[in-house]
Amino acid sequence: MKVIKTAAFQDQKPGTSGLRKKVTQFQIPHYLENFVQSIFNAIGDCQGKLLVLGGDGRYYNKNAIQTILKMAAANKFSRVIVGQHGLFSTPAASHIIRKNQAEGGIILSASHNPGGPNGDFGIKYNTSNGGPAPEIVTEAIYEISQNINEYCIVDTENIDLSQIATSKIGEMTINVIDSVQDYADLMQHIFDFSLIKSSVKSGALNLCFDAMHAITGPYAYEIFENRLGMTNAVINGIPLEDFGGGHPDPNLSHAEQLLQTMKSINAPDLGAASDGDGDRNMILGRNFFVTPSDSLAIIAANAHLMREYRQGICGIARSMPTSRAADKVAERMGIECFETPTGWKFFGNLLDANKITICGEESFGTGSDHIREKDGIWAVLFWLNLLAIKKQSVEDIVNQHWKTYGQHYYARHDYEEIDIGKAKDLMQNLEESLTGLPGKTFRGLEIKEAFNFSYTDPVDASVAKNQGIVITLKPDSRIIFRLSGTGTQGATLRVYLESYEPDQTKQGLNTHEVLVPLAAIANDIADIRQRTAREKPSVIT
Ligand code: VG1
Ligand code: CO
């Protein structure tokens, strides 16, 4: 074992979901090691403990895995469970941590950010409940990283991760396990595979799943093709270190091929895609897009039809910028709907305390209490199971939902890679204007409230401040502004627009057109174009 002297880096502050930086940054000597040692120091005594380790297979995954294994041995972990080839999707890692009652897990991923030598890399620590470390833990890691001056590592050969086998570094056992099996079994336990299978067999149900050359490929082949018999359901299923040069973000801008398929004459009943690390999902019907916020609400409204949730759900949670479609479902069910800050880490306490069963975010994330991460394939299976039960099209299911609950027109406008100083000024300016806004009318719509969202966790009373600027307008619209916490270049301004429409005759219109006035008001209030020097958003989802 070697103790290596190091100098601290001052920029290792985890964001919305772990530490994300350019690969080139992680390649700076000691950069990765410093952060990993900071995680281990935050855990405290690692002696005798079990760690789960895996990543989404992006460029630098292989190098980082070897380093972390050698550091885990030096820090006296008794055992590490690693996915074969160093791979785990984020939801699979969450499940493995829970199933094996591990101390925690390290997930290597920058999720939906592009990969490759010039792309992004990331590292995230999950605690024993299988969920992303809460802020109190990420803050502790960050603090340690700012003063770290040494780390420990065992000087040894690289470990062979290509075979399912058990090996050792000194005293520490390394179990290389199948990355897919346990997760696929969990899915089979939750959903009615025989029902889905018989619908598929009768020709009444088919799927196109776009793995975007990311981690879900192997999971999708095993679950959709092998276990459910959906031949040729998976496209872009071979994981690549640079995701084939693409942007592994399942949305209308990046899942081009899938979109074309869903617009074609032979479109399957369900189209879906997942992101780099497999926790996101996009749901499409034939020539029809389901907003993630609607998907969350529909999943919540229909959960009781699934075997796993047949007792009903105990509560729902959504992140603040997510549309309030889920709130309408909760209201009718007489259960609570919690509004949390952006990021899955805020759902953990609610799930652990049995306050919620279903949760989700507008950013293509849905999940339940089966694990402590959002889960892309779970969401696709939910929809498959729902289609098999309802024998209706995706579009009909959504239309019916709107008739019952009303429609929340919704879009997110992202201004990516803008100047950090300008982005901060914009937010600062907005913040300062808040008190003067209520009562004012913009383009015929009166502002009701204007505030900076802060959250008090109902379980441990921890407080998260400055989580985004919320503007509510009469009769029932919202505009939300926040800066992204996952980007690695400049700043990304996210503007979320939502307008509620209970009138059935005004539902199903073109979302973009319906939201034009709100987008204009957002610009009036925040002076976006002027301040960002951008004519329009870089991405609309
Ligand atoms: C984004 C999304 C957020 C999500 C996070 C991690 O964060 O908005 O809802 O939880 O990514 O998802 P931000 O701070 O950039 O808005 V993933 O699939 O990238 O781990
Ligand atoms: Co992700």
Side-chain angles (χ1 to χ4, degrees):
M1 186 185 106
K2 284 185 176 170
V3 177
I4 312 279
K5 291 283 164 212
T6 183
F9 294 90
Q10 296 307 314
D11 67 345
Q12 300 197 318
K13 189 177 172 61
T16 313
S17 180
L19 182 70
R20 282 188 202 174
K21 301 281 174 195
K22 292 271 162 222
V23 166
T24 46
Q25 179 88 4
F26 273 102
Q27 286 169 329
I28 294 172
H30 310 313
Y31 193 85
L32 172 77
E33 290 86 343
N34 276 17
F35 191 71
V36 172
Q37 188 64 54
S38 301
I39 294 174
F40 292 162
N41 290 358
I43 292 172
D45 186 8
C46 302
Q47 184 127 27
K49 288 179 175 160
L50 168 63
L51 183 73
V52 170
L53 179 62
D56 66 8
R58 68 178 57 226
Y59 184 81
Y60 211 56
N61 195 114
K62 284 188 187 134
N63 307 50
I65 289 269
Q66 294 293 340
T67 303
I68 297 169
L69 281 174
K70 292 169 195 175
M71 288 183 67
N75 280 274
K76 304 205 163 43
F77 276 93
S78 66
R79 188 155 74 99
V80 179
I81 298 178
V82 201
Q84 193 179 10
H85 306 294
L87 302 178
F88 273 136
S89 72
T90 290
S94 181
H95 175 53
I96 297 293
I97 294 168
R98 294 167 68 75
K99 189 181 168 202
N100 295 282
Q101 295 174 316
E103 171 68 20
I106 290 181
I107 303 174
L108 304 172
S109 169
S111 189
H112 58 289
N113 298 19
N118 298 313
D120 290 349
F121 190 73
I123 174 164
K124 189 170 76 153
Y125 180 63
N126 282 28
T127 49
S128 59
N129 71 346
E135 284 204 317
I136 184 166
V137 177
T138 54
E139 275 301 315
I141 296 170
Y142 175 51
E143 214 155 279
I144 294 167
S145 78
Q146 288 174 297
N147 299 302
I148 196 160
N149 53 25
E150 59 181 39
Y151 63 85
C152 313
I153 189 159
V154 172
D155 190 10
T156 181
E157 299 279 288
N158 279 353
I159 302 294
D160 178 12
L161 300 177
S162 67
Q163 306 300 324
I164 292 168
T166 295
S167 57
K168 287 213 157 210
I169 298 180
E171 298 283 291
M172 186 183 83
T173 304
I174 299 171
N175 297 131
V176 180
I177 68 163
D178 185 296
S179 314
V180 175
Q181 183 101 32
D182 290 293
Y183 175 82
D185 291 348
L186 175 68
M187 292 301 113
Q188 191 154 2
H189 172 81
I190 294 176
F191 297 106
D192 190 343
F193 273 33
S194 45
L195 176 74
I196 299 174
K197 219 172 151 173
S198 62
S199 291
V200 170
K201 216 171 174 184
S202 71
L205 184 58
N206 51 14
L207 164 76
C208 178
F209 178 81
D210 187 349
M212 304 189 89
H213 288 302
I215 189 68
T216 47
Y219 295 85
Y221 283 127
E222 171 61 15
I223 293 169
F224 301 130
E225 298 202 358
N226 298 347
R227 297 197 186 192
L228 291 171
M230 311 179 101
T231 33
N232 300 324
V234 181
I235 59 171
N236 301 318
I238 310 287
L240 298 173
E241 285 196 329
D242 67 348
F243 311 114
H247 203 134
D249 199 356
N251 59 39
L252 295 179
S253 306
H254 297 304
E256 217 6 72
Q257 190 186 347
L258 174 67
L259 256 139
Q260 290 314 321
T261 304
M262 296 313 291
K263 280 182 187 160
S264 71
I265 298 185
N266 300 320
D269 303 286
L270 184 68
S274 192
D275 71 333
D277 62 331
D279 54 0
R280 295 185 179 206
N281 73 91
M282 174 168 67
I283 298 295
L284 302 167
R286 266 179 236 106
N287 206 6
F288 188 84
F289 168 63
V290 186
T291 70
S293 299
D294 278 345
S295 180
L296 169 66
I298 291 166
I299 285 174
N302 292 287
H304 62 282
L305 301 175
M306 305 291 146
R307 193 163 60 200
E308 175 80 357
Y309 313 103
R310 62 182 176 274
Q311 317 282 7
I313 59 174
C314 64
I316 310 172
R318 60 162 174 84
S319 65
M320 179 273 284
T322 304
S323 101
R324 294 160 303 169
D327 304 40
K328 299 281 176 202
V329 175
E331 215 173 276
R332 197 170 279 234
M333 282 182 175
I335 56 175
E336 207 165 341
C337 186
F338 297 86
E339 185 177 46
T340 59
T342 295
W344 212 261
K345 58 181 169 237
F346 295 102
F347 294 136
N349 276 350
L350 298 171
L351 289 163
D352 287 348
N354 292 321
K355 286 184 177 295
I356 59 168
T357 312
I358 301 287
C359 47
E361 299 189 273
E362 51 68 38
S363 54
F364 299 83
T366 20
S368 87
D369 58 1
H370 67 291
I371 52 169
R372 294 294 179 271
E373 288 277 6
K374 54 188 185 269
D375 191 342
I377 289 199
W378 172 88
V380 180
L381 284 166
F382 192 107
W383 273 92
L384 278 174
N385 204 345
L386 189 61
L387 293 178
I389 292 169
K390 293 214 161 196
K391 299 185 170 45
Q392 282 176 295
S393 71
V394 169
E395 186 170 356
D396 287 348
I397 291 174
V398 175
N399 280 329
Q400 201 169 51
H401 185 89
W402 290 341
K403 282 202 178 102
T404 313
Y405 298 94
Q407 179 181 3
H408 291 77
Y409 284 100
Y410 187 86
R412 185 176 99 183
H413 292 192
D414 291 339
Y415 297 79
E416 295 178 327
E417 295 183 23
I418 54 178
D419 180 79
I420 294 183
K422 284 185 181 160
K424 286 195 173 151
D425 283 352
L426 185 150
M427 291 302 283
Q428 170 89 30
N429 205 58
L430 195 55
E431 170 98 46
E432 281 161 11
S433 71
L434 291 182
T435 48
L437 288 176
K440 273 196 184 155
T441 297
F442 288 82
R443 297 172 195 257
L445 294 179
E446 187 189 328
I447 295 187
K448 248 193 303 194
E449 311 149 289
F451 58 93
N452 190 331
F453 180 68
S454 91
Y455 176 68
T456 304
D457 186 298
V459 180
D460 67 11
S462 58
V463 177
K465 288 190 179 145
N466 283 320
Q467 297 296 319
I469 301 290
V470 185
I471 314 274
T472 62
L473 304 103
K474 290 179 181 171
D476 208 350
S477 302
R478 290 196 308 168
I479 302 173
I480 290 145
F481 300 86
R482 60 179 283 280
L483 297 182
S484 157
T486 57
T488 59
Q489 200 142 8
T492 293
L493 171 69
R494 303 203 195 285
V495 183
Y496 310 78
L497 309 171
E498 176 190 1
S499 176
Y500 180 57
E501 184 51 78
D503 182 348
Q504 292 184 15
T505 63
K506 294 181 185 159
Q507 293 171 359
L509 306 176
N510 180 298
T511 296
H512 178 71
E513 281 163 22
V514 170
L515 295 176
V516 162
L518 277 187
I521 295 172
N523 189 56
D524 293 344
I525 294 175
D527 206 7
I528 304 170
R529 256 176 256 148
Q530 190 72 28
R531 289 181 172 275
T532 62
R534 295 281 173 85
E535 270 311 299
K536 54 179 178 33
S538 9
V539 185
I540 297 181
T541 51

